[in-house]
Amino acid sequence: MNANIGTADRVIRLVLAAGLFSLFFILDGDQKWLGLIGLVPLATGLMRWCPLYSLFGIRTCSL
C-alpha cells in the first residue's frame, strides 16, 4: 500500500471524520449510528491510502 493521499486531502478527510463522528454523540436513537460513517475518512486519512484512489489511479500526493 503506497500512500496516495496528499497533505491537503488528508487534512480535509480528518476534519470531515471529526464532524461525522461527532454525530454519534449529538444524535439520538438509531440515527446516532450514522456518525460511525466518520470512521471511513478517519482510517483513510490516518493510513494515507484510499482504496478508491488506487482503483481509479488517482494520486494527490507527490512522490
Side-chain angles (χ1 to χ4, degrees):
M1 292 186 326
N2 294 330
N4 61 5
I5 295 178
T7 304
D9 195 4
R10 185 178 188 194
V11 169
I12 291 169
R13 286 172 187 263
L14 293 176
V15 169
L16 180 65
L20 286 171
F21 195 63
S22 69
L23 292 176
F24 183 77
F25 301 103
I26 295 172
L27 297 176
D28 291 327
D30 291 337
Q31 294 176 343
K32 75 185 295 182
W33 298 104
L34 290 173
L36 294 179
I37 294 172
L39 292 175
V40 174
L42 177 67
T44 58
L46 291 177
M47 292 187 308
R48 299 190 66 197
W49 180 76
C50 179
L52 288 177
Y53 277 16
S54 295
L55 183 66
F56 293 116
I58 300 171
R59 190 176 176 97
T60 61
C61 67
S62 60
L63 297 173

